[in-house]
Each structure stands twice: as C-alpha cells, then as structure tokens.
C-alpha cells in the first residue's frame, strides 16, 4: 500500500491595492527616531478605510509598545496600551478602522524577519486580511521607501504549515498641503548643510525667495520644453510622443489672455499661497 499523502493548500485570495498617506510614513519615521535604545525597530497599528473595490487607504497610525527578541523568536505586545490607543482614535474618527500593522526595517535593512508572523497573528485578530506595511528606516535612498505585504496561509490537510508574505502594490499619496510640507522639509535646508542628525529642522523660504525659486524652476522647465520642441521640429526625435504634445498645448493654453484663464491662474496662485501660509504657521 502506498503511504497516505496530504494535499498542500495555497490561498488564492485576490491581492488588495494599498494606498498610504505621506503623513503616515512621516509619523512612522518619527516614532522610529524617538524609540528607546533597546528597541531595534518600531511597530504599530494602521488605521484607514476599505473601499468597495478592495482598495485599502491608510490615513493614520499609532505606535504599539512591544518587546521583541528575533533570535529567540519571542514577541510581547502591550495589549492594554493597544486597546486604549485604538479606543481613543475611534472616539475621534469612527470611520477609521484597523486595516493592518506597520513595522520598520531592521538595522540590516531586512523587511521580513522571523517574528513577523507572530506579530501578524496578533493584528489578524483585529481585522480581516490584515496588511503589513514595512518602512525603510535605513533611508538608503532619496525616496520614502515602503513595501506592503499580505499573509497567505499554506496548509497541509487541515494543519497550518506556514505563512507566506507576498508583496502587493503600494502607493504613497500626497495632498497639496502634504506635498508642500515635504517639499520644504527636503529643499528648505541651507545650501551645503548635511543631514548628520535626526533632529535637523528645515527652514521655510521667505515669500521673496519663494518667488525667485518658482521663477527659476519655471525657466528651467521652459528651457527643457524648448529643447524638446526644437528637436521634434528638426526631426531628431524618431517617434514624438502625442501625450507630451497634448500636455504642452494644455500648459500653453493656461497662459492665454482670456478672462476665464486669467481668473483660473489667479485662483491657482491663491491656493498655493494658502498652502505656503499653512506651512509657515
């Protein structure tokens, strides 16, 4: 008689799409730099909403106190603190629910470690199909790098064999005010200043400097457009992009002298000025 064989079952649930607000990433990195010296990384809960098409939008988060020993495969989470923080957030925004959890990379830049499954089991009890967001705290690139994962269970017969973390599409979203804030955090530093400490404060340019910088940026863009158009006219571009041509045409239309366009330009300038004033205050 041949030995009895058990079938290996792999979950085939569809992968969700993950959208994360920029302020969530900044909040996670802020928790990381404020962590105690005994903690190698930080973890916390992700709050947000789930749309009808399955897209998960993360709009807020909070850190969770924990003790972790990766080499011993041990993790202890302060559940009382977690419940108190979640209750506080629910009182302020009932639409936001727990959609998963976050963690930062290890000092070696690892995104998934042995204790990830243990932490994921805890948060899976708080929501269905929890997502896991990992933020690169090594800052090895000039981007806010993060990755999203979902856990899929592998079973043999009726027994759980392993958890497999599979990466999903993750997108960082920014509102106009968030984009303005991040821009000044990155570009508002003094020339030649190095980011040697985590507590460096960015500076906001004066209104006059902002105008000068905006004009220089606009001039640089116009120079690039002029070179591209000249190359197309000279036949140096083998296959000119139709989309680029339409975008150039629409941009030039904004500078027409019609009253409607003048009013639109004034509205756009007023909106940008309000964003700058908000960051200044």
């Amino acid at each position: 008689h041949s030995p009895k064989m058990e079938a290996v079952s792999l979950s085939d649930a569809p992968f969700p799409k993950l959208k994360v607000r920029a302020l969530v990433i900044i909040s996670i990195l802020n928790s990381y730099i404020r962590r105690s010296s005994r903690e190698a990384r930080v973890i916390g809960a992700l709050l947000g909403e789930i749309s009808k098409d399955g897209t998960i939008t993360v709009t807020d988060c909070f850190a969770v106190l924990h003790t972790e020993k990766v080499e011993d495969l041990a993790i202890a989470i302060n559940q009382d603190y977690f419940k108190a923080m979640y209750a506080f957030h629910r009182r302020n925004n009932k639409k936001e629910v727990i959609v998963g959890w976050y963690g930062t990379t290890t000092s070696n830049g690892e995104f998934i470690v042995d204790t990830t499954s243990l932490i994921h089991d805890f948060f899976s009890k708080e929501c269905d199909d929890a997502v896991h967001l990992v933020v690169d705290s090594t800052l090895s690139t000039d981007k806010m790098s993060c990755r999203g994962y979902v856990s899929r269970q592998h079973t043999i017969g009726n027994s759980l064999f392993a958890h497999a973390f599979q990466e999903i599409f993750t997108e960082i979203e920014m509102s106009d005010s968030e984009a303005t804030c991040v821009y000044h955090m990155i570009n508002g530093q003094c020339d030649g200043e190095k980011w040697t400490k985590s507590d460096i404060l960015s500076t906001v340019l004066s209104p006059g400097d902002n105008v000068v910088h905006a004009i220089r940026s606009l001039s640089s863009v116009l120079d690039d457009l002029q070179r591209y158009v000249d190359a197309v006219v000279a036949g140096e571009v083998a296959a000119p992009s139709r989309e680029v041509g339409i975008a150039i045409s629409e941009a030039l239309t904004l500078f027409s002298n019609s009253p409607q366009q003048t009013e639109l330009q004034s509205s756009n300038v007023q909106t940008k000025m309000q964003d700058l004033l908000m960051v200044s205050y």
Side-chain angles (χ1 to χ4, degrees):
H1 298 280
S2 60
K4 183 179 179 180
M5 301 294 291
E6 294 284 359
V8 177
S9 176
L10 307 179
S11 175
D12 58 353
F15 292 158
K17 181 180 180 181
L18 182 61
K19 294 183 178 181
V20 185
R21 296 295 295 267
L23 287 180
V24 173
I25 305 297
I26 295 175
S27 177
I28 294 172
L29 292 175
N30 181 59
S31 298
Y32 177 78
I33 64 175
R34 294 175 182 273
R35 74 192 190 286
S36 68
S37 58
R38 296 173 297 177
E39 297 177 336
R41 62 173 184 157
V42 293
I43 67 171
L46 296 175
L47 302 172
E49 302 177 8
I50 304 177
S51 60
K52 294 182 179 180
D53 63 356
T55 299
I56 300 174
T57 303
V58 180
T59 54
D60 203 351
C61 67
F62 63 86
V64 175
L65 301 177
H66 77 293
T67 302
E68 182 178 16
K69 294 182 179 180
V70 178
E71 62 277 4
D72 297 332
L73 201 61
I75 182 76
I77 297 175
N78 190 326
Q79 299 188 36
D80 293 336
Y81 178 84
F82 165 78
K83 292 178 181 179
M85 286 296 295
Y86 185 41
F88 171 77
H89 278 271
R90 290 288 289 170
R91 285 199 298 268
N92 287 274
N93 192 337
K94 295 186 180 298
K95 292 184 178 180
E96 291 182 342
V97 297
I98 292 179
V99 295
W101 65 287
Y102 72 79
T104 53
T105 54
T106 64
S107 57
N108 297 327
E110 297 174 311
F111 282 77
I112 301 294
V113 294
D114 292 338
T115 52
T116 299
S117 295
L118 301 177
I119 304 174
H120 196 82
D121 285 340
F122 171 79
F123 284 96
S124 294
K125 299 175 183 177
E126 303 296 330
C127 63
D128 296 330
D129 203 12
V131 296
H132 176 34
L133 179 71
V134 185
V135 177
D136 182 9
S137 55
T138 62
L139 298 179
S140 55
T141 65
D142 58 352
K143 298 180 180 179
M144 290 190 294
S145 178
C146 64
R147 298 180 187 177
Y149 298 90
V150 291
S151 175
R152 292 294 180 253
Q153 294 183 348
H154 294 182
T155 59
I156 299 179
N158 295 325
S159 302
L160 176 63
F161 173 68
H163 285 279
F165 287 90
Q166 299 177 339
E167 189 171 354
I168 59 176
F169 178 81
T170 303
E171 179 183 6
I172 299 178
E173 289 189 331
M174 285 191 187
S175 63
D176 290 342
S177 57
E178 287 174 333
T180 302
C181 180
V182 172
Y183 172 83
H184 282 287
M185 289 175 63
I186 296 174
N187 297 285
Q189 301 291 327
C190 299
D191 293 338
E193 185 175 350
K194 296 182 179 179
W195 294 58
T196 57
K197 297 184 297 182
S198 61
D199 57 351
I200 291 179
L201 298 178
S202 60
T203 57
V204 178
L205 299 176
S206 66
D209 291 337
N210 273 319
V211 173
V212 172
H213 180 76
I215 292 176
R216 289 176 177 174
S217 297
L218 177 60
S219 177
S220 176
V221 171
L222 292 176
D223 288 341
D224 292 338
L225 289 177
Q226 183 65 55
R227 285 191 292 268
Y228 177 79
V229 172
D230 290 343
V232 172
V233 173
E236 298 175 359
V237 179
S241 172
R242 181 174 179 270
E243 289 75 13
V244 173
I246 294 176
I248 294 175
S249 176
E250 292 177 348
L252 293 176
T253 302
L254 292 176
F255 290 92
S256 64
N257 295 324
S258 64
Q260 295 84 357
Q261 294 299 337
T262 301
E263 182 179 353
L264 176 60
Q265 294 172 30
S266 176
S267 176
N268 289 336
V269 171
Q270 182 67 24
T271 300
K272 295 300 181 183
M273 285 299 298
Q274 290 175 352
D275 289 342
L276 291 174
L277 288 174
M278 183 200 69
V279 174
S280 298
Y281 289 130

